[in-house]
Amino acid sequence: MPGAKSLLRLVACGSVDDGKSTLIGRLLYDLGAIPDDQLEALARDSRSIGTRGGELDFALLVDGLMAEREQGVTIDVAYRYFATEKRTFVVADAPGHTQYTRNMATAASNADVALLLIDARKGVLTQTRRHAFIASLMGVKQAVLAITKMDLIGYDKTRYHRIVSDFVALAETLEIPRLAAIPVSGVGGDNIVARSASTPWYDGPTLIELLETAEPSEADRADRPLRMAVQSVARPNLDFRGFSGRLSAGRVKPGDAVRVLPSGRTANVARIVTADGDLPEAIAGQSVTLTLDHEIDCSRGDVIAAADAPCEIADQFQATVIWMSDTPLFPGRRYGLKIGAAQANATITEIRYGFDIDSFQHTPEKQLDANGIGVCNVSLDRDIPFDPFERNRETGGFILIDLDTGETAGTGLIHFALRRAHNVHWQALEVDREAHAAIKGQRPAILWFTGLSGAGKSTIANLVEKRLHSLGRHTVLLDGDNIRHGLNRDLGFTPADRVENIRRIAEVAKLMADAGLIVLVSFISPFRQERELARGLAKQGEFFEIHVDTPLEVAEQRDVKGLYKKARAGQLKNFTGIDSPYEPPARPEIHIDAVNTSPADAAEAIVKAIGAAISR
Amino acid sequence: MASSPRLTHLQSLEAESIHILRETAAELQRPVLLYSMGKDSAVLLHLAKKAFFPGKLPFPLLHVDTTWKFRDMYAMRDRAAAEHELIVYRNPDAAARNINPFEHGSELHTQLWKTEGLRRALAEYGFDAAIGGARRDEEKSRAKERIFSLRSAHQRWDPKNQRPELWSLYNTRVRPGESFRVFPLSNWTELDVWQYIEAERIPVAPLYFSAERRVVRRSGAWIMMDDERMQIEAGEQPEMRRVRFRTLGCYPLSGAVESEAESVGDIIREIAESRASERQGRLIDQDTPSSMEKKKQDGYF
């Protein structure tokens, strides 16, 4: 194939007003990458909304969205493309202000080189430290330091060298091994494409020369052990069964021994099938379809790896998590995890520590807020194949998905497995849950009462338990207030503690249901996700979400325990309905209108509704 | 040590696009490939065939018709339909009102036939992912669009609330009513597209190549008189010119450029030397400032 240029991916990062858009715009302009009609539009825009008094304002070339032009800042990661004789370039342009961590991490994820901008007048700022830290975290091992706005300090050589040495000290602590610095001016075009006459003391390459010669950061990835995440199984007819995917590392030839993970089974590669004919060899980066010499189990999400150098398998590992959602990360909450083509359910079991992004110091954290970074223990509901992130970004990086909204809530970089998953087996119980329930002559169930404080949950739950008891059922009642005195007395009422509170109750309810009991749980349980977690632990058809629906005004008026009064007076923090949210169930199994129904009627209705489910 | 073998940038782009197409087919319930008979669609279809070789395409093609495309384009569409399942959708509202670019103007014409037509087609067929050939280099607001770009239940794009895309991990989770626009060519440039067409010998509409064509001068562009419905305005004089098109759409709204480029190789040389952007000939982008961003928020591709 022609077009035999190589590709280099850059992440451009800088603070507000350090001239990043101007520099990129200037680079495109000097390379002749701006078509005439866009230049005309630029000249027009420069006169109407430019900030350079009618002179060409190069920043307008790259500040795309209307809202950005109005505010004069960049909102989201933007991608630009340009080419020289030797190379084609993709620049991920990361904004330097709000959401900087999220945007920087995203933009840096595929980058070979970080282009770090420093305003010559200001030197190394907190923002610079943050950007360098995130770039290093995301595995970018190469940085080009562009000291901008040299024209505004009269091309002062001493000042330039001082900034560079400040940064070199920083880069050493961050493990960015390859570093180059260059004095530039976007407005004047100094040392960008053409050498500047104003910096005779600088004899290094121009910016474009530096970028043309920089080594892609994973240049050796074809020499590492084979990794291919299986995206799909191609089965066009009975005689063909191929595994489609893109090689993230290594190379493969027909005859090579491969191992399918997590199953661990081995086979030899028979053919490398593409629409252009069978290939004698495929290398990292290529999308292919492999057939094997004999049938083995292999499906989407599995990894085909070199047989003698496979990846690791685990369901628990330690990872650095970068949080991106406005809803904080809470330990105990369940998230969707995607790595390669594999998906699993994940729980952060512990935040070991967070990072202060300005000092790089470790900090204790109970939750991670948007743009927070922490080293966490992660537990999955199944084994996944992985490599440490330092060794392979594609098999070591994952995203976390909010199961409620579907948004990408965070990302993680795997460090190591916490234990070898395949050494752990569930204890096979001979007296199983079926036996427990059978001896009691019933089927287990979990009745989960949720609603505001003072809604009448406990009153109704008590009546339901009495009624079931009189019918000869074996029951147990877990009540919020009582559990908080014992099992959960170490927990407070912050959102993070509420999540953990419910997680423990959900686990206890499950154990008791396994013992054959009908479990009544009476907890405010304000968050939809934790109730869904409890539902997920129960067996299909055994979980009944009962919404005791009392409007806030009514509950507050009743105020049986006097808590609303205290909360309103500011004496109780994080009180549900007042300064902590209640998320009502969308589709509860049973809905109780607790204003117009007496507790006795409500209890009778519930017993009736579950009658069939608990009878053998 | 000898340096490790590496892919060329075209090989990298091809492999990335194939990966995206396979993810779409594997994770979405009911994807569709938007086929508009242009060069980007031609490349997209070619890549899709490669992605699922030796199998067939796991999704149908959809052409949202405006009834105003070039005749050559309809011929291209018929050829594609002979090989793949292809759905043609025409917005019944626009058809009932006989919407056309001459009497109703480009803005309403595009809104009803294309934007509204696409929305209705996706809703009626229940597609949850529409694969399109848009590229980030085409236009400034596209530069910030994701590869898997989420649309709300009302098919609107919210540029301030996009899902971050790290490495090659795409979050394809949708809630009821939500859908994706998927752009496998996001990282390609116009030049990449033509170089790939040349390398892979992909057939494209003859309109891209220079020929003597009957045109009139309108709003600074050459508009081709492709069929008898073309309306001539006062002062316009039809003439023969050697012209070609850099992008194709509805013929009364597609401006031709004067060119001598008769082959793909000629086009590549012309683009390399060109000082005008590809979308310049598109009359619809110039309706209002930042008009592309507004159209996209409304659901235009």
Side-chain angles (χ1 to χ4, degrees), chain A residues 309-349:
Chain A
C311 20
E312 297 177 46
I313 299 165
D315 65 352
Q316 289 193 22
F317 42 77
Q318 193 170 103
T320 295
V321 172
I322 301 170
W323 201 244
M324 298 173 163
S325 169
D326 290 333
T327 309
L329 175 154
F330 296 120
R333 181 168 279 186
R334 212 149 54 113
Y335 300 97
L337 176 143
K338 187 172 180 188
I339 180 168
Q343 305 224 26
N345 285 313
T347 306
I348 307 299
T349 50

Side-chain angles (χ1 to χ4, degrees), chain B residues 165-182:
Chain B
E165 287 181 344
L166 296 108
W167 308 292
S168 48
L169 286 178
Y170 305 107
N171 172 1
T172 59
R173 211 165 283 238
V174 281
R175 288 186 290 183
E178 289 179 341
S179 61
F180 278 103
R181 303 290 160 86
V182 182

Side-chain angles (χ1 to χ4, degrees), chain B residues 75-114:
Chain B
M76 286 285 293
R77 187 182 73 188
D78 293 344
R79 279 197 290 279
E83 210 184 324
H84 308 282
E85 182 191 350
L86 188 147
I87 299 164
V88 175
Y89 188 88
R90 298 183 194 92
N91 181 3
D93 275 359
R97 292 169 61 186
N98 192 23
I99 297 294
N100 65 73
F102 302 113
E103 287 158 46
H104 304 97
S106 68
E107 204 152 355
L108 185 67
H109 172 80
T110 308
Q111 169 66 27
L112 277 181
W113 278 117
K114 293 179 77 174

Side-chain angles (χ1 to χ4, degrees), chain A residues 428-436 514:
Chain A
L429 302 169
E430 285 180 6
V431 181
D432 60 5
R433 68 193 312 275
E434 175 58 25
H436 287 134
D514 283 348

Side-chain angles (χ1 to χ4, degrees), chain B residues 4-43:
Chain B
S4 179
R6 247 177 260 165
L7 304 181
T8 67
H9 85 282
L10 277 187
Q11 286 173 320
S12 296
L13 289 171
E14 179 190 70
E16 178 185 69
S17 301
I18 289 174
H19 175 260
I20 293 162
L21 286 161
R22 286 171 173 171
E23 282 299 287
T24 310
E27 294 216 331
L28 277 304
Q29 296 291 321
R30 190 151 163 70
V32 66
L33 189 147
L34 295 180
Y35 181 71
S36 66
M37 297 86 80
K39 64 182 192 306
D40 302 304
S41 279
V43 167

Side-chain angles (χ1 to χ4, degrees), chain A residues 446-477:
Chain A
I446 298 173
L447 311 185
W448 192 282
F449 294 79
T450 173
L452 293 169
S453 174
K457 296 181 298 297
S458 294
T459 308
I460 296 172
N462 268 307
L463 289 171
V464 171
E465 187 176 34
K466 278 184 192 160
R467 183 83 188 102
L468 289 172
H469 188 76
S470 71
L471 293 170
R473 300 300 186 196
H474 299 256
T475 59
V476 61
L477 175 63

Side-chain angles (χ1 to χ4, degrees), chain A residues 370-383:
Chain A
N371 297 307
I373 301 176
V375 170
C376 302
N377 289 353
V378 185
S379 172
L380 306 186
D381 62 353
R382 50 166 291 213
D383 285 346

